[in-house]
Amino acid sequence: MNKRIPLEELKNRMINFIDKMNNNNPSWKFILILSKINLYYFTGTMQDGLLIIKRDSPPIFWVRRSFERAKEESLFENIKSISSLRELESKYKDMDSEILFLETNIVTLSLLKKLNKYLNFKETKSIDYTINSTRSVKSNYELDLLIKSGNIHQKVMEEKIPHMLKEGMSELELASKIFSTMLEEGHHGVARFSMFDTEISLGHIAFGESSLYPTYFNGPGGNFGLSPSMPFLGSRDRKLKKGDLIFIDVGCGYEGYHTDKTMTYVFGKPLPNDVVKIHNKCVDIQNQISQILVPGNTPGNIYKKIMGELDQDFLNNFMGYKNRKVKFLGHGVGLVIDEIPVIAESFREPLVKNMVLAIEPKIGISKIGMVGIENTFIINENSSICITGSNNGLIYID
């Protein structure tokens, strides 16, 4: 029997979300939630169905498949079976000509038309930010799972990977060893993202300049991947050789909750001193951010402070390479790896206790690859604590 999310935890999540809806959209009457991640967050199971929340009445999780599994996995109090969306027509006649609040980042146009055929709402409005901001503050239950994920991350990347590295192995061979080891240690087996149409099974595993290769993924690093049809994991053709910088940026997760971490390794021959200095400066930036990653400070202020203190030469390839730089220094993590808040100029709401963020200062260096670091931090009352390890990277492999 799988571990079930406690009923009190599910109730508190719904209460927190409704409180935010009342503040953000005081006149709301109907909410519909369809995405698997948000269904899991509110009900504790990932079935094919929809959660309907009406003002002043208990929420109902209508499940098409599998009702039996939903009842077995979930302690949510109001789960009902439904065979098709058509059945909603008679159950929600009072929705006629009302505003429907739903996940506009998730729902496709064809599904929206189908829903409107039976519910006949007059307008739709987004609940994406309200749900995301609710999820951004973690409960003690969630923090416990994140800490367990961080422990797996640290053990695999700081202790296990150095023993996997062998001259002549391919990026893909290393990726498969990392994935297998992470599963053995308790990883839940996938790295989930909210970014639309984004797939990434593990992360970026790159030797040398592979980590500078262009990628559609919205992050500072890159890699060749398997092929144009599978631009992730690692290349079958790129083999590890002496003098290579090894860049590994992978997600880990436990019971649905992710941490994010990047580690670098040096194989067989030391890197030039100037490259080491640049890497160490990235580590210093991470440590500086962690000291001001506290309740009351805003992501926008953190971003502007850090970026304003860096000289132009350093900024040329900071947070990317050449013209492929990203405009953030870190991001929230949880049920997906790319949550809010984001350490970026446009995020101005103050940080609060129990937010969890990954901080990732990195810089691309020609003919070397991507150096830098990434770790995941929990914000406490007046500080932040790293939960993914303490090694500064550039681990030397003789």
Side-chain angles (χ1 to χ4, degrees):
M1 180 66 182
N2 292 326
K3 182 179 178 181
R4 295 193 287 185
I5 298 176
L7 177 58
E8 193 66 24
E9 176 77 12
L10 296 176
K11 286 182 175 180
N12 288 338
R13 294 175 183 185
M14 185 63 69
I15 289 169
N16 293 338
F17 170 62
I18 295 302
D19 284 347
K20 285 184 178 289
M21 280 297 297
N22 290 338
N23 289 330
N24 297 343
N25 301 281
S27 62
W28 75 271
K29 292 183 179 179
F30 295 97
I31 299 168
L32 190 150
I33 296 172
L34 287 149
S35 74
K36 295 292 190 295
I37 297 296
N38 287 328
L39 287 176
Y40 179 75
Y41 181 74
F42 287 113
T43 72
T45 185
M46 279 190 175
Q47 304 311 306
D48 179 15
L50 61 165
L51 177 62
I52 293 184
I53 308 169
K54 290 177 58 178
R55 182 182 284 275
D56 302 323
S57 65
I60 301 175
F61 183 27
W62 297 98
V63 178
R64 291 192 289 187
R65 181 180 177 94
S66 156
F67 177 71
E68 291 80 6
R69 180 162 179 163
K71 294 293 286 184
E72 180 179 323
E73 292 181 343
S74 174
L75 293 174
F76 190 77
E77 293 182 302
N78 209 356
I79 304 175
K80 297 184 179 182
S81 179
I82 188 173
S83 59
S84 72
L85 293 177
R86 183 183 299 275
E87 294 179 39
L88 298 176
E89 189 170 15
S90 61
K91 300 178 187 299
Y92 292 97
K93 291 180 179 179
D94 53 346
M95 195 181 292
D96 186 47
S97 298
E98 291 291 348
I99 298 172
L100 179 63
F101 287 84
L102 79 172
E103 304 148 293
T104 56
N105 288 341
I106 301 294
V107 177
T108 63
L109 183 58
S110 61
L111 180 54
L112 186 65
K113 289 179 178 179
K114 189 180 293 185
L115 288 167
N116 198 24
K117 180 179 178 181
Y118 302 119
L119 298 177
N120 195 31
F121 43 88
K122 69 174 182 180
E123 187 181 348
T124 60
K125 288 189 177 181
S126 173
I127 57 167
D128 295 290
Y129 187 78
T130 305
I131 289 182
N132 292 340
S133 61
T134 303
R135 282 173 34 190
S136 70
V137 182
K138 274 58 178 182
S139 67
N140 290 333
Y141 172 84
E142 293 175 294
L143 292 177
D144 181 61
L145 299 179
L146 283 156
I147 289 168
K148 288 177 179 176
S149 176
N151 289 339
I152 297 168
H153 231 153
Q154 178 179 13
K155 184 175 183 179
V156 173
M157 296 189 73
E158 296 185 5
E159 300 175 19
K160 299 276 189 177
I161 289 178
H163 300 289
M164 300 178 191
L165 300 170
K166 307 293 180 186
E167 188 171 5
M169 73 186 315
S170 69
E171 291 177 347
L172 182 61
E173 183 182 350
L174 177 59
S176 67
K177 289 180 181 294
I178 294 171
F179 186 62
S180 176
T181 303
M182 288 177 70
L183 289 174
E184 291 170 1
E185 295 294 334
H187 173 45
H188 62 209
V190 68
R192 289 192 171 115
F193 287 81
S194 65
M195 191 190 314
F196 181 74
D197 204 20
T198 296
E199 294 178 315
I200 188 164
S201 57
L202 182 62
H204 286 163
I205 291 85
F207 300 159
E209 285 190 288
S210 294
S211 57
L212 304 179
Y213 196 71
T215 173
Y216 77 93
F217 183 75
N218 188 33
N223 73 341
F224 288 105
L226 282 164
S227 71
S229 67
M230 297 290 173
F232 43 78
L233 280 178
S235 169
R236 287 187 172 91
D237 300 323
R238 179 56 164 93
K239 309 293 185 179
L240 183 60
K241 61 182 186 297
K242 288 185 178 180
D244 274 341
L245 168 72
I246 302 160
F247 174 86
I248 301 176
D249 179 359
V250 297
C252 182
Y254 183 82
E255 293 287 337
Y257 283 85
H258 299 81
T259 48
D260 203 4
K261 182 175 176 66
T262 298
M263 236 343 47
T264 51
Y265 313 79
V266 181
F267 188 75
K269 187 169 68 174
L271 293 174
N273 288 336
D274 60 335
V275 173
V276 175
K277 287 180 181 179
I278 292 171
H279 171 84
N280 289 339
K281 186 168 184 176
C282 289
V283 174
D284 290 341
I285 291 169
Q286 175 200 248
N287 295 338
Q288 184 182 357
I289 293 173
S290 73
Q291 292 172 6
I292 57 178
L293 195 70
V294 296
N297 206 349
T298 68
N301 285 343
I302 293 172
Y303 183 83
K304 286 189 286 186
K305 173 179 172 55
I306 297 300
M307 297 298 285
E309 294 174 352
L310 301 175
D311 61 64
Q312 188 55 54
D313 285 344
F314 190 83
L315 287 170
N316 284 337
N317 293 305
F318 183 56
M319 296 308 294
Y321 184 64
K322 294 186 176 179
N323 64 343
R324 302 189 293 274
K325 295 186 284 288
V326 296
K327 296 182 179 181
F328 63 83
L329 296 170
H331 53 87
V333 289
L335 285 171
V336 294
I337 289 177
D338 54 339
E339 290 198 352
I340 62 170
V342 180
I343 305 299
E345 191 169 357
S346 60
F347 279 76
R348 299 185 177 92
E349 291 188 17
L351 299 169
V352 301
K353 179 184 174 183
N354 289 357
M355 285 182 169
V356 182
L357 294 94
I359 306 303
E360 55 172 324
K362 298 167 184 173
I363 188 166
I365 301 175
S366 177
K367 299 181 181 179
I368 299 291
M370 185 70 57
V371 298
I373 195 165
E374 180 176 21
N375 280 295
T376 299
F377 296 80
I378 296 175
I379 298 178
N380 286 339
E381 289 184 0
N382 52 17
S383 64
S384 66
I385 296 178
C386 181
I387 60 172
T388 48
S390 57
N391 195 296
N392 288 337
L394 294 189
I395 298 173
Y396 185 75
I397 312 299
D398 198 352

